[in-house]
């Protein structure tokens, strides 16, 4: 069995191949998203805790979360399901997927380091790979850099240097994402304007309704007066 281990803290990833079943038997009958200690995998993994994130069986079918069986099943999948990509809008298709319980037929198991152990692992914990792209949403930028609401998010957005591939010896330029859900003074002014328009529209509707109610009441009164006059005329003639 191959173990594909990822370390989110450093951004590194490594695949190790285990031939001895006794080393990876601890993963048997475990489900996806469960945490497993790595002591039995090897001495270098002592103290490490891994979380199972997925895997493939020997025929290449992926494990699907929520399918609580240790074998392969055929499910009708649609848009929004994992292990399926919609080709046409509204399309559904019956696909073979592997259950989320680990068994001996798993060829590759994906793991994530939850807790670091005593030893350093080459290719996993030694180097820190910088993130190529930073967060885009304003709240996530604040969370990433531990900012307060008073700090300007635009100064902290992650920029990356880009070198032109078409021109040689071209001056490098920088790219930065457009910050989403950014609350600026212009946005607040627009929100106040929209709110005032809404209030103005409601007041105008109230005025129109009161005018309409007054007109209806006037017409009903005129109709009653007309009916009363006709009745009085009939009584006189009788």
């Amino acid at each position: 069995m191959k173990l594909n281990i990822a370390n989110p803290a450093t951004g590194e990833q490594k695949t190790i191949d285990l031939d001895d079943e006794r080393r990876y038997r601890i993963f048997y009958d475990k489900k996806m998203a469960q945490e497993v200690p790595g002591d039995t995998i090897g001495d270098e993994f002592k103290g490490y805790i891994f979380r199972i994130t997925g895997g493939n069986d020997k025929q290449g079918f992926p494990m699907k979360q929520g399918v609580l069986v240790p074998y392969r099943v055929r499910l009708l999948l649609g848009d929004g399901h994992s292990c399926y990509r919609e080709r046409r809008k509204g399309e559904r298709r019956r696909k073979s997927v592997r259950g989320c319980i680990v068994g001996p037929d798993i060829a590759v198991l994906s793991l994530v380091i939850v807790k670091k152990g005593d030893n350093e692992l080459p290719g996993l914990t030694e180097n820190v790979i910088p993130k190529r792209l930073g967060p885009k949403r304003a709240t996530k930028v604040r969370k990433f850099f531990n900012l307060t609401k008073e700090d300007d998010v635009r100064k902290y957005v992650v920029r990356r240097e880009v070198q032109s591939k078409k021109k040689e010896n071209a001056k490098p330029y920088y790219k930065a994402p457009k910050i989403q859900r950014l609350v600026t003074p212009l946005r607040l002014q627009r929100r106040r304007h929209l709110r005032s328009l809404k209030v103005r529209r409601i007041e105008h509707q109230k005025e129109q309704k009161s005018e309409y109610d007054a007109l209806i009441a006037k017409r009903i009164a005129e109709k009653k007066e007309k009916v009363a006059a006709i009745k009085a005329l009939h009584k006189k003639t009788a």
Side-chain angles (χ1 to χ4, degrees), residues 58-116:
K58 291 177 181 175
Q59 284 74 36
F61 291 95
M63 295 172 68
K64 182 171 172 59
Q65 179 67 290
V67 184
L68 302 174
V69 291
Y71 48 83
R72 202 183 305 160
V73 293
R74 282 176 63 82
L75 300 177
L76 187 65
L77 304 177
D79 185 34
H81 289 119
S82 59
C83 308
Y84 177 72
R85 182 169 61 88
E86 187 184 45
R87 264 65 172 184
R88 297 178 64 183
K89 189 175 180 181
E91 181 189 35
R92 294 190 300 167
R93 187 168 291 182
R94 196 167 291 279
K95 303 268 297 181
S96 291
V97 292
R98 174 63 170 70
C100 68
I101 300 175
V102 181
D105 60 330
I106 295 293
V108 182
L109 194 65
S110 299
L111 306 173
V112 166
I113 296 176
V114 177
K115 181 185 174 185
K116 186 181 173 185

Side-chain angles (χ1 to χ4, degrees), residues 188-203:
L188 294 174
Q189 180 186 349
R190 190 178 293 123
R191 194 180 292 172
R192 287 194 299 269
H193 176 63
L194 292 173
R195 194 178 292 120
S196 66
L197 285 178
K198 187 177 179 181
V199 171
R200 210 177 303 162
R201 189 165 57 245
I202 291 170
E203 290 176 355

Side-chain angles (χ1 to χ4, degrees), residues 68-225:
L68 302 174
V69 291
Y71 48 83
R72 202 183 305 160
V73 293
R74 282 176 63 82
L75 300 177
L76 187 65
L77 304 177
D79 185 34
H81 289 119
S82 59
C83 308
Y84 177 72
R85 182 169 61 88
E86 187 184 45
R87 264 65 172 184
R88 297 178 64 183
K89 189 175 180 181
E91 181 189 35
R92 294 190 300 167
R93 187 168 291 182
R94 196 167 291 279
K95 303 268 297 181
S96 291
V97 292
R98 174 63 170 70
C100 68
I101 300 175
V102 181
D105 60 330
I106 295 293
V108 182
L109 194 65
S110 299
L111 306 173
V112 166
I113 296 176
V114 177
K115 181 185 174 185
K116 186 181 173 185
D118 304 329
N119 302 323
E120 294 286 337
L121 298 176
L124 278 174
T125 59
E126 291 179 339
N127 303 318
V128 177
I129 299 175
K131 283 192 172 184
R132 179 177 166 271
L133 299 176
K136 190 174 182 181
R137 193 183 300 174
T139 54
K140 293 190 176 181
V141 174
R142 287 195 186 95
K143 186 179 178 183
F144 189 74
F145 290 104
N146 197 17
L147 304 176
T148 60
K149 288 189 176 182
E150 287 74 25
D151 295 322
D152 190 3
V153 182
R154 291 169 286 189
K155 294 179 181 178
Y156 292 90
V157 67
V158 176
R159 303 175 185 274
R160 60 188 179 92
E161 187 178 304
V162 180
Q163 189 75 36
S164 177
K165 295 180 180 179
K166 295 181 180 179
K167 295 181 181 179
E168 294 183 1
N169 302 324
K171 187 178 179 182
Y173 59 96
Y174 292 89
K175 275 189 175 181
K178 182 183 177 184
I179 302 174
Q180 302 295 314
R181 304 185 189 180
L182 181 64
V183 180
T184 58
L186 184 64
R187 175 65 188 143
L188 294 174
Q189 180 186 349
R190 190 178 293 123
R191 194 180 292 172
R192 287 194 299 269
H193 176 63
L194 292 173
R195 194 178 292 120
S196 66
L197 285 178
K198 187 177 179 181
V199 171
R200 210 177 303 162
R201 189 165 57 245
I202 291 170
E203 290 176 355
H204 182 61
Q205 286 174 355
K206 285 181 180 178
E207 290 175 4
Q208 283 185 324
K209 188 177 185 304
S210 61
E211 290 175 4
Y212 178 75
D213 292 341
L215 183 64
I216 293 294
K218 183 181 176 184
R219 287 183 179 175
I220 290 172
E222 289 175 356
K223 192 175 181 181
K224 284 182 179 179
E225 289 175 3

